[in-house]
Amino acid sequence: MPGLGLKTDLAPAISLAYENAELDIMKRPPRHPQLDHLVTLKLLSFAYLQVGVLQSFAGMLTYFWVM
């Protein structure tokens, strides 16, 4: 569908536009690649267990509502 990306990316873009700037971002040292991991167990559990279950439930609810 043409234009679907514009519709789905609009809300996150607006929320990022109103986010406060981090004034000290360039003064922070870079992260250590071996010690500071981007993907952690906390992030994975939130993504798969909490959000994944909620989206699965919403998808099944929508399917059964329509059918």
Side-chain angles (χ1 to χ4, degrees):
M1 280 183 148
L4 185 60
L6 178 63
K7 294 175 188 172
T8 58
D9 291 343
L10 192 59
I14 291 172
S15 66
L16 286 174
Y18 286 104
E19 186 174 317
N20 292 332
E22 296 182 32
L23 300 177
D24 65 338
I25 194 75
M26 295 303 287
K27 295 178 183 175
R28 294 182 196 170
R31 68 177 184 87
H32 193 276
Q34 281 77 31
L35 299 177
D36 301 326
H37 300 289
L38 296 177
V39 179
T40 61
L41 185 60
K42 182 179 177 182
L43 176 68
L44 287 175
S45 68
F46 178 75
Y48 285 105
L49 297 177
Q50 295 178 13
V51 177
V53 169
L54 181 66
Q55 286 182 352
S56 298
F57 177 72
M60 294 295 281
L61 179 71
T62 305
Y63 173 78
F64 287 116
W65 184 278
V66 172
M67 295 312 253

